[in-house]
Amino acid sequence: MTSPRRLLLLAASSLALLGGAALPAVALPSTAAATAAAQDAQPSRPWAQAASDIPADPAVRFGVLPNGMRYAVMHNATPPGQASLRLRIDAGSLMENDDQLGLAHFMEHMAFNGTTNVPENELLRILERLGLAFGADTNAFTSFDQTAYTLELPRTNDETVDTSLHIMREQVSEALMKAEDIDAERGVIEGEERLRNTPGLRSLKAQIALLAPGQRLSNRLPIGDLSIIRTAPRDRFVEFYNAYYRPSRATMIAVGDFDVDQMEAKIKTTFSDWTPKAADGPNPDLGTVAARSPETRILVEPGVQSSVQLNWIRNPDLDPDTVAERREALIQNLGLAVLNRRLGEIARSENPPFIGAGAGQTGLFRTVDLGSISASFNPGGLKRALETVEQEQRRLVQFGVGQAELDREIANTRTMLENAAQAAATRSTPVLANALLGATNDDKVFSAPAANLALFEAAVKDLKAAQVSNAVKSVFEGQGPLALVVTPEAIEGGEAGVTAALAASRQVPVTARAEEAQLQWPYDSFGSVATPSARTEVASIGATVVAFPNGVRLTVKPTTFKDEQILVSVRTGIGEEGLPADRFTSQTLAPMVFTQGGLGKLTADELSRVLTGKIYGAGFTIDGDAYQLSGATRPADLLLQMQVLAGYLTDPGLRPAPFEQIKALFPQIIAQQMATPGGAFGIQASGLLASGDKRESFPTAQDVAGFTLDELKQGVTQGLASGPIDIVMVGDVKVEDAVAAVASTFAALPTRAPAAQPLPGSDQRRFPAPTAEPVRLTHTGPAEQALSYIAWPTTDSVDDRTEARKIAVLTEVLKLRVLDEIREKQALAYSPRVGSSSSDAFKGYGSVSIMADTAPDKIGAFYTAVDAIVADLHDKPITEDELDRARLPVIETLRRSQAGNEYWLSQLSDVAAKPASVEQILTHISDLESFTVADVQAAARQYLRSDTAWKAQVVSANAPAQ
C-alpha cells in the first residue's frame, strides 16, 4: 500500500480486456450499395492542418479512408519493438439524448463484453496471451466529447498487431450488447459511480454549473444518471452505438517500432469495409454563453480543500489552429507565467495568505472559454486569499509585466522547447500516441518539436514587456467575475459576504512591483577536485562503479533510451532505521519541506531565479535504509545538477515558512483523506499494517502541531552527515563526464564518518497479527461507500528476490481470479485492486493484498468471494494458459521498463555496496519464466492462509455498524 509519507506528499500537493491463435479474419456485413456509399464519406472533422499554416510533423503519416475514417501512423522505436494504438470515436457524453445520460460511458464498457466474432469471456484473455495487462495495457475512457480505446502492444509482430487491430475493429462495429450482458454490467457502472463520487467530483459539478448554466455541458457528466444506468433498455444503447460509432467519426492512431507502410496497409485492410448501420448522429447544440453579472456561488463540501476561484467567461474561440493563433496564445501565456511566478513567491513567503494559487486560461469542450485565478487556503483564510489573488490579477492588468520577468519566462520556455527538439528522436511511444490523440480531439496541428521551437523563436523575437502586458489583459475580460468558493465549512456572511469582500478588494489601489536584485550562484566550489581511488566495469549491466577517497561511490550507466536526459540519485545515511519506531518525529514532514526551503544562501525563489534557463531537479525522500536526493538534467547542465544536490546535502535551507505552512495545512489534509474510503484506509491502516510502527503511521493533527523546525533540522542534518554516499547516474551521459561532475562536488567533501547504527528495534518491521473479523475503520463520506481489505504476510526482497518474484506471479494469478469473480461475475466492485509488496530494507516484511471499494451491504459477499478464490487456488493447480495470461504481461511490462532510464536508476541503487545484486537484476525475467503451475499452487498454500490474514473494512461514520 502507499506509505504514509507518499500519501502525505500526494495530499499536500494541491478498460480492457482479452487466447491461443490470432483472431480469424473478421466477417463483416458489406453490401455493394453500402460499400459504394462509403466511398463518398467524409470524416466528421478534417485533419487540423488542412485549415492551418502550421506544418504537421512530417514523421506522421496522416490519411483518410474512403469510408471517412482518419488514421495517423508514426514510426518510433522508444521503447524498441513496441507500439501504442489509440482508436478515437468523435462522440462522448455531450452527444447523449436526455434519456441516454451515461450511456456513452456505459457503451464503452459494453465494447468489452462480447462482439460478433469474439466471445465475451475471450476478449481480455486473447490480449493477455499476447502479453497485455488489463488496465495498464488495455483500457478505454469516455469524456464529454470523445471515447477512446487504448492498447499498448509489447511486440509488433503480425500476430500481435493483426489481433489487436481486429479486436478494436470488432469493438467499434460489432459490439453485441446482449440484454443480459447489459444487465450484468449495470452493477459495475454503479460501482464506478460510487467510487468516483468524491468531494472533488462534486466540486467540479458546482464549477460547471456556475460557468455554463443552461448549456449542454452542465448536465452531461460522463458517469451519467443512475436511474438511466439502472433501467435503460438495449435499444437505447444500440441507437447511440449505431449513430456515433461509425467510420466517419473514428480516428486510428498507431505509433511504434514498425514499418509505416505495413501498418498503414493493415489499418486499411481492417477498417476499409466498415460501413455505417444508421444515419449519422447529430452534433448537439452546446448553447451560447449568456450575459452574466458578477456572481458568487458557495459549495460547502466536507472533506474538500478550501479554495476560491474568480472566472471570466466568453464564447469559445473555434478558429483554426494557426501561426497567428498560437502566437497570441503564447504571448498571453507568458504573461500568465509571470503572474503565476508572483503567486508562487507569495505562497512561499512568511505567513502567506494562501497555500497555493494560480492563473490560467482554457476552453471547456467547445462550450465556453475562460480566464481564471484561484487560490487554496486554510479554513478561515478566505478574505486574505480572495483579496490577494484579486489584487495581484489587477496589478498585472494595470501595471503589466517587467522586462526582466518576461525575459526569465522566455528563457525557461526556450530551454524546454530546445530540449524537446534535441530529444525528439527518442520520444516515448505512449506519450506520442497520447499527444496525437489530444491534438486530434482539440483540433490542433500535431507539429514537430523543431517546428514548435521555430514558431516560438519567431513569436518572441524582439518581444517587449509592453506587448505582453497588453495581450494578457484579454485573459481577464468577459462575463464576470464569477466567484466560486469551495469550503468544508460554512462561510460567514454567505454569498453576499463574499461578493461584498470582492467588491471592497476591487476598490483597494495597487502599485507596481519593485525591481528584483541580481543574484549570483554561490555553490560552485566544495573543495579540491578529487581523484578516483578505484574503478570497476560491470559489463553484464553496462555500468561502471567508481570509488573516491572520501567514501563517495558513483555508479554510472550510459544509455541511449532518451536523448538529453540524465537521471541522478544520491543516497546516504540509514533513513528510517535511524528513526524511532515508537513515536512520531518532525522528520515526518521532511519530504514536504526539505527542498521547498531552498538552500542556505538562496531561498527557493532565488534559486529558481538565478538558475533561469537551466534544467535541473531536486527531490528528497526518506527510505527504509537511506536518505535520498534526486534530480533530472541534461548533459549541458550535469555539473550544475550535482552542485545543486551537493548544496542540498551540505547546506539545506529548511526555512520556517514551508514548515509552518504544512503544519497549518495538516488538518485539511486529514479531512480530505477521511472523506473517501480509500483515503481513510490509507490514514488509519498504514500503521496497523506495520504493527503500530510510527514510521509507517499517519500522524494526527495534534501530533503535527507539536513538531518543531529545530527538531527536523537536527534530525535531517545528522541523518545526512554520516555514511557512504552512493550516487547513481543513468542516461545520456559519458562516464568521464559523470566522474568529473562528482569529483568536484560530492567527492570534494571531507571524508565521511561511518554510517550510524540503527536505533534498537528500528531495523525491523512486522506484519500485524491475524484478525478473525475485519477491523472496523470509518470515513466521513457518503453512507453508500465502503471498502473491504484483506492481506496476508509474505517475505522480503532484501537479498534474494526470487521468492518475492514468485509471489508476484501468484499475485497476478490472483488478480485474474478477482477481476473475473468480484468485478465481472458478481459486480461487487468496479475496480478491485490486487497487489504485493516486499521490503528491500526490512527482513521478512512483505504482503499480498486485495482491496475493493464496495457498497456496505456487499462487504460480506466480498470476503466470501475471496475465500472461494483462495480455496480454489489451494485445491487445484491453475492451468498453463492462466499462468501465461498472468505472467506474460508482467514480463512484457518489465521488458518495457528495462528500455527506460527510470528502471535502471532504481535497480542500480545498491550495486556499489552490494555487488551480488547484479545477479538479481540479470535473473529477473528468467526467474519469472521459470515458475511452474505447481510453484504457484505451492505459494498459494504457503502464503494465502486464513490463519495469517489481516482484514479491515471502512464504512461511513454515519452508517450503522455491520
Side-chain angles (χ1 to χ4, degrees):
M1 65 170 293
T2 302
S3 75
R5 295 184 193 280
R6 289 190 175 88
L7 182 64
L8 197 55
L9 280 166
L10 288 171
S13 60
S14 297
L15 248 50
L17 324 183
L18 304 155
L23 286 178
V26 181
L28 298 172
S30 177
T31 66
T35 302
Q39 304 310 305
D40 299 324
Q42 295 296 316
S44 58
R45 286 185 281 175
W47 290 111
Q49 55 265 31
S52 176
D53 51 358
I54 299 172
D57 190 333
V60 183
R61 181 177 298 177
F62 296 92
V64 181
L65 298 180
N67 60 8
M69 177 176 168
R70 295 186 297 178
Y71 62 87
V73 183
M74 181 182 189
H75 176 263
N76 192 66
T78 306
Q82 298 171 25
S84 296
L85 304 182
R86 307 286 185 265
L87 181 50
R88 177 185 181 273
I89 300 297
D90 187 18
S93 59
L94 287 171
M95 281 67 176
E96 296 166 344
N97 295 327
D98 288 342
D99 63 354
Q100 293 176 325
L101 301 184
L103 296 197
H105 168 250
F106 204 148
M107 186 60 249
E108 168 217 312
H109 281 240
M110 296 311 301
F112 293 102
N113 276 278
T115 67
T116 301
N117 298 292
V118 184
E120 174 188 356
N121 293 333
E122 279 299 296
L123 199 62
L124 172 60
R125 294 172 183 173
I126 291 172
L127 293 178
E128 288 170 344
R129 293 182 186 116
L130 295 174
L132 282 77
F134 170 74
D137 304 319
T138 310
N139 218 316
F141 67 86
T142 304
S143 182
F144 289 92
D145 54 356
Q146 69 171 329
T147 304
Y149 297 84
T150 70
L151 292 177
E152 299 296 338
L153 309 189
R155 290 177 301 281
T156 53
N157 58 10
D158 287 342
E159 179 187 17
T160 302
V161 173
D162 292 348
T163 301
S164 300
L165 289 174
H166 278 310
I167 285 172
M168 292 182 122
R169 165 66 193 274
E170 287 271 310
Q171 288 179 300
V172 296
S173 69
E174 295 295 310
L176 293 176
M177 297 171 284
K178 293 180 181 178
E180 59 268 29
D181 293 337
I182 291 173
D183 289 340
E185 194 71 15
R186 296 186 201 273
V188 175
I189 303 292
E190 284 195 60
E192 184 172 0
E193 191 277 341
R194 186 172 58 244
L195 176 66
R196 302 199 189 287
N197 184 18
T198 62
L201 179 64
R202 296 190 286 274
S203 300
L204 174 63
K205 290 179 179 179
Q207 182 183 25
I208 293 175
L210 174 65
L211 298 177
Q215 292 185 264
R216 197 175 184 88
L217 183 71
S218 63
N219 68 338
R220 284 298 190 281
L221 261 72
I223 197 62
D225 184 324
L226 272 182
S227 63
I228 293 175
I229 289 167
R230 290 170 178 147
T231 62
R234 178 182 182 274
D235 59 3
R236 217 171 289 169
F237 289 82
V238 174
E239 179 186 358
F240 184 87
Y241 187 68
N242 288 345
Y244 293 103
Y245 278 61
R246 53 198 304 110
S248 62
R249 287 184 174 272
T251 303
M252 185 75 219
I253 295 168
V255 181
D257 194 4
F258 47 66
D259 181 274
V260 170
D261 291 338
Q262 292 179 6
M263 179 59 77
E264 181 182 36
K266 289 178 183 293
I267 291 172
K268 290 180 176 179
T269 299
T270 306
F271 291 97
S272 287
D273 60 354
W274 178 14
T275 57
K277 298 178 182 178
D280 193 0
N283 287 320
D285 180 359
L286 301 179
T288 58
V289 175
R292 306 282 292 280
S293 299
E295 184 179 344
T296 298
R297 295 274 182 87
I298 295 176
L299 173 66
V300 179
E301 181 64 57
V304 79
Q305 168 68 57
S306 301
S307 66
V308 58
Q309 182 182 78
L310 303 179
N311 304 280
W312 291 262
I313 63 171
R314 51 193 176 270
N315 282 313
D317 177 4
L318 302 180
D319 292 341
D321 180 22
T322 62
V323 171
E325 286 279 314
R326 286 201 188 181
R327 184 178 188 276
E328 180 183 4
L330 169 66
I331 293 173
Q332 291 172 340
N333 288 332
L334 286 170
L336 289 172
V338 170
L339 177 57
N340 283 320
R341 187 179 294 275
R342 293 177 181 178
L343 293 170
E345 291 175 354
I346 294 171
R348 290 181 289 271
S349 64
E350 299 289 339
N351 189 27
F354 42 65
I355 297 164
Q361 60 179 338
T362 189
L364 295 182
F365 306 102
R366 305 170 72 86
T367 295
V368 58
D369 284 358
L370 68 145
S372 65
I373 187 167
S374 59
S376 56
F377 55 89
N378 287 319
L382 172 60
K383 186 174 184 294
R384 286 185 69 208
L386 176 62
E387 291 173 346
T388 305
V389 295
E390 186 280 322
Q391 291 168 26
E392 283 302 315
Q393 175 267 327
R394 197 152 38 87
R395 191 190 319 278
L396 180 78
V397 170
Q398 185 171 340
F399 294 101
V401 305
Q403 190 65 45
E405 291 180 298
L406 173 60
D407 290 344
R408 183 188 313 156
E409 303 308 332
I410 289 175
N412 285 333
T413 306
R414 176 181 287 117
T415 297
M416 178 187 68
L417 292 172
E418 286 176 343
N419 203 58
Q422 292 164 358
T426 53
R427 289 175 286 178
S428 160
T429 287
V431 170
L432 281 168
N434 288 335
L436 269 164
L437 178 64
T440 301
N441 191 61
D442 296 338
D443 269 344
K444 301 297 184 185
V445 178
F446 184 81
S447 45
N452 296 336
L453 176 60
L455 289 171
F456 169 81
E457 294 294 5
V460 301
K461 183 180 180 182
D462 300 324
L463 184 65
K464 302 302 181 185
Q467 296 169 268
V468 176
S469 300
N470 185 61
V472 78
K473 293 178 182 179
S474 63
V475 174
F476 305 105
E477 295 174 350
Q479 309 296 325
L482 307 177
L484 175 65
V485 178
V486 181
T487 170
E489 56 188 35
I491 298 295
E492 184 178 355
E495 293 174 349
V498 175
T499 300
L502 177 58
S505 178
R506 295 173 76 178
Q507 299 305 310
V508 175
V510 294
T511 57
R513 278 173 56 98
E515 290 284 332
E516 296 173 335
Q518 294 296 312
L519 298 168
Q520 299 296 319
W521 176 239
Y523 293 94
D524 54 0
S525 178
F526 294 88
S528 300
V529 176
T531 300
S533 55
R535 176 169 172 156
T536 304
E537 306 293 332
V538 189
S540 59
I541 55 173
T544 301
V545 178
V546 180
F548 293 89
N550 68 341
V552 169
R553 297 177 295 219
L554 166 67
T555 302
V556 56
K557 178 179 172 64
T559 72
T560 57
F561 301 140
K562 186 172 181 61
D563 293 342
E564 297 295 307
Q565 183 193 66
I566 304 172
L567 303 183
V568 183
S569 75
V570 179
R571 293 169 61 86
T572 192
I574 59 173
E576 289 184 342
E577 291 185 355
L579 302 178
D582 58 353
R583 64 180 178 86
F584 292 111
T585 74
S586 300
Q587 287 195 62
T588 300
L589 303 185
M592 285 158 285
V593 303
F594 186 86
T595 58
Q596 287 82 341
L599 297 167
K601 299 174 185 177
L602 295 170
T603 67
D605 293 310
E606 291 170 339
L607 178 64
S608 175
R609 197 188 318 158
V610 76
L611 298 183
T612 293
K614 304 296 184 181
I615 293 180
Y616 66 97
F620 178 77
T621 58
I622 303 177
D623 295 335
D625 56 359
Y627 291 84
Q628 177 169 298
L629 291 159
S630 58
T633 187
R634 58 180 176 174
D637 293 326
L638 177 59
L639 176 58
L640 172 67
Q641 173 69 80
M642 301 314 293
Q643 291 173 346
V644 169
L645 294 181
Y648 273 109
L649 178 77
T650 59
D651 189 28
L654 293 173
R655 289 178 168 81
F659 182 76
E660 294 302 326
Q661 186 178 47
I662 195 65
K663 286 180 65 176
L665 177 62
F666 211 81
Q668 280 203 93
I669 292 176
I670 293 177
Q672 291 168 46
Q673 295 301 307
M674 289 296 293
T676 64
F681 180 82
I683 284 181
Q684 297 170 83
S686 54
L688 296 176
L689 283 164
S691 297
D693 190 329
K694 296 299 185 184
R695 299 167 299 175
E696 280 293 286
S697 302
F698 205 89
T700 66
Q702 292 74 23
D703 293 321
V704 172
F707 291 168
T708 68
L709 183 59
D710 287 342
E711 182 193 29
L712 187 150
K713 282 182 177 180
Q714 181 180 12
V716 171
T717 301
Q718 289 180 350
L720 292 172
S722 63
I725 296 175
D726 282 297
I727 301 171
V728 178
M729 282 190 205
V730 178
D732 187 6
V733 61
K734 297 176 181 177
V735 174
E736 295 310 319
D737 291 341
V739 171
V742 172
S744 64
T745 54
F746 288 91
L749 298 173
T751 300
R752 302 283 291 178
Q757 292 301 304
L759 296 178
S762 290
D763 58 350
Q764 301 173 18
R765 185 160 289 159
R766 299 182 306 279
F767 192 82
T771 54
E773 295 295 327
V775 174
R776 187 177 187 272
L777 308 173
T778 61
H779 66 89
T780 60
E784 66 269 18
Q785 295 180 343
L787 182 146
S788 306
Y789 180 88
I790 183 170
W792 300 266
T794 57
T795 190
D796 64 87
S797 55
V798 174
D799 295 316
D800 188 351
R801 306 172 195 173
T802 307
E803 187 69 10
R805 291 167 179 171
K806 185 193 301 178
I807 294 167
V809 172
L810 166 64
T811 302
E812 295 304 313
V813 172
L814 186 61
K815 184 184 298 182
L816 295 181
R817 299 284 182 99
V818 165
L819 288 171
D820 183 58
E821 186 66 31
I822 292 177
R823 174 187 160 113
E824 299 301 331
K825 291 182 179 177
Q826 297 193 39
L828 299 176
Y830 162 67
S831 182
R833 282 89 76 198
V834 184
S836 63
S837 64
S838 58
S839 175
D840 59 3
F842 299 102
K843 291 274 193 178
Y845 191 65
S847 66
V848 170
S849 64
I850 305 174
M851 177 191 295
D853 292 273
T854 61
D857 61 353
K858 302 296 185 183
I859 291 176
F862 167 83
Y863 289 113
T864 299
V866 170
D867 288 345
I869 292 169
V870 170
D872 194 55
L873 289 174
H874 283 191
D875 295 343
K876 59 177 183 281
I878 63 172
T879 65
E880 290 286 351
D881 176 67
E882 190 172 14
L883 176 58
D884 284 341
R885 290 191 292 110
R887 173 171 51 195
L888 286 176
V890 176
I891 292 173
E892 296 302 340
T893 298
L894 178 58
R895 286 198 174 109
R896 186 181 302 138
S897 298
Q898 289 176 338
N901 292 326
E902 293 80 1
Y903 170 86
W904 289 102
L905 188 74
S906 65
Q907 292 295 308
L908 298 176
S909 62
D910 59 355
V911 163
K914 297 165 60 177
S917 65
V918 171
E919 183 65 20
Q920 297 287 303
I921 298 171
L922 295 172
T923 60
H924 198 165
I925 290 179
S926 60
D927 281 347
L928 297 174
E929 292 174 333
S930 70
F931 301 134
T932 66
V933 294
D935 292 331
V936 173
Q937 184 181 28
R941 290 172 173 170
Q942 179 179 354
Y943 295 110
L944 305 183
R945 295 166 39 191
S946 60
D947 62 342
T948 63
W950 188 87
K951 304 176 184 178
Q953 63 183 32
V954 187
V955 296
S956 174
N958 302 316
Q962 299 295 309

